[in-house]
Amino acid sequence: MTKAEYLKLLSTDLSCMPYGEVQDIIDEIGSHFDTAIERGKTEDQIAVELGDVHELAKSYINITPNKLPAVLRENSEKKPAPKGARVFVILFNVFVGAPIGLWWAAIDIALVYAFVSNLIFFIARWTMISDLGVYITPAVMFQISSFFGLLVILVLAYFGIRLLIKALSSYLKWNRKLWVKGF
Amino acid sequence: MNIQFKKGVLDMCVLAMLRDGDSYGYDIADTLSSKILLADGTVYPILRKLASDGLVTTYLKESQNGPPRKYYHLTDKGLDLLKEYIDDWNSFNEVVRGIIGGDR
C-alpha cells in the first residue's frame, strides 16, 4: 500500500471525527511516512509496519468520545468572565433597577397601609353610626362608598404585590444570566 | 507476547520515553515498536490521548530536511502521573512475581 492510499483509507475511516482533528492525525501519520522514507524504507514496508489502517482508525476513534466532553468542559471553564456585561448589570441596577424597584415597593407598601388604616376607620365608623340620628342616611351612604373604595385599594395592593414578586424574580434571573454568561 | 500485556503499560512507556527528553512521533514509535514488538501505528493514538489529557504538550520544530516535525514534551502533570504509574507498576509486579513464583 502506498502512503497516499494508507492516508486516504485512514481519513475515510475517521470521517466521523471533526475535520480539524482528522487533518491533525493525517499530518502526523503522513510525517511518519516521510521520516521513514528519509531513512530508506519503502512506502509499502512503512504501511505494513504501521499496522492495519482500520485498527489504527479504531484506536483513534476509541479515545475520542472521552476527549470531546472534556474539551468542551475545559472551554466553558476557561471562558473569561463577561466584564462588560457585569459593569452593565451594576450600573443598570444602581440607576434603573433599584430606583424602579424601590418606588414600586413603596407604592405597594402605601397601598397596604391605606387599606389597613381605612379598614380600621371603616369599622370605627360603624361602631358610632347609631349615634348619628338624622345623619344616619348620608352616613350609611358614605360607609357603602368607602367600602367600595376599600375593595379597590385591596385589589390594587394584591396585584401590585403579585406583579412585584413576579417581576423581581424574572429580573433577578435576567441579572444572573448577564452576570454569568454575558450578553 | 500477549497484546493485552503490552497495551496496559504503553501509556507508561511513552511517558517514560519522554522523561528523558522531547521526541517526535516517529522516534517514539520506532523505539517502542522495536523493543515491544508492536505495530508502529499503536503509539500515535496514545500520544494524542496523552496530549488531550494534558500529560504531554506538542510543538513544531524544523527538521534538517523536509517539513517541521511535531515534538512531544512531558508536562509536570505527566511526570507526576508517570511516577505514580511506576510505583503502581513496581508493587504490582512484586505481587504478580510472588504469585507466579509460587511463594505465598
Side-chain angles (χ1 to χ4, degrees), chain B residues 61-75:
Chain B
K61 194 170 148 189
E62 295 300 323
S63 63
Q64 283 157 343
N65 32 10
R69 284 189 183 126
K70 193 199 237 178
Y71 273 74
Y72 291 86
H73 170 78
L74 189 64
T75 63

Side-chain angles (χ1 to χ4, degrees), chain B residues 48-85:
Chain B
R48 194 167 181 78
K49 192 184 75 182
L50 295 177
S52 78
D53 291 345
L55 304 173
V56 303
T57 52
T58 63
Y59 60 94
L60 289 176
K61 194 170 148 189
E62 295 300 323
S63 63
Q64 283 157 343
N65 32 10
R69 284 189 183 126
K70 193 199 237 178
Y71 273 74
Y72 291 86
H73 170 78
L74 189 64
T75 63
D76 290 344
K77 191 179 161 193
L79 187 61
D80 288 345
L81 190 72
L82 174 62
K83 286 175 185 161
E84 226 174 273
Y85 276 171

Side-chain angles (χ1 to χ4, degrees), chain A residues 28 32 38-39 49-50 56 60, chain B residues 24 40-41 44-45 65 72:
Chain A
E28 176 96 288
H32 179 95
E38 267 172 42
R39 307 206 173 170
E49 285 176 0
L50 269 176
L56 182 60
Y60 271 120
Chain B
Y24 54 97
D40 283 355
Y44 288 103
N65 32 10
Y72 291 86

Side-chain angles (χ1 to χ4, degrees), chain A residues 69-82 86 180, chain B residues 77:
Chain A
V71 166
L72 290 178
R73 233 177 296 129
E74 225 170 78
N75 282 347
S76 70
E77 276 166 7
K78 275 183 188 160
K79 212 167 144 195
R86 290 191 172 182
V180 176
Chain B
K77 191 179 161 193

Side-chain angles (χ1 to χ4, degrees), chain A residues 76-97:
Chain A
S76 70
E77 276 166 7
K78 275 183 188 160
K79 212 167 144 195
K83 276 192 189 143
R86 290 191 172 182
V87 171
F88 172 79
V89 166
I90 293 170
L91 291 179
F92 189 84
N93 270 294
V94 168
F95 291 107
V96 184

Side-chain angles (χ1 to χ4, degrees), chain A residues 17 20-22 24-25 28-29 31-32 34-36 38-39 41 46 49-51 56 59-60 63 67 71 74, chain B residues 7 24-27 29-30 38-42 44-49 52 63 65-70 72:
Chain A
M17 285 170 70
E21 289 201 28
V22 177
D24 230 29
I25 292 167
E28 176 96 288
I29 302 298
S31 123
H32 179 95
D34 296 339
T35 311
E38 267 172 42
R39 307 206 173 170
K41 290 186 180 172
I46 300 162
E49 285 176 0
L50 269 176
L56 182 60
S59 305
Y60 271 120
I63 62 163
K67 187 198 153 188
V71 166
E74 225 170 78
Chain B
K7 279 190 175 163
Y24 54 97
Y26 182 87
D27 197 30
D30 197 44
L38 277 169
D40 283 355
T42 320
Y44 288 103
I46 290 172
L47 282 169
R48 194 167 181 78
K49 192 184 75 182
S52 78
S63 63
N65 32 10
R69 284 189 183 126
K70 193 199 237 178
Y72 291 86

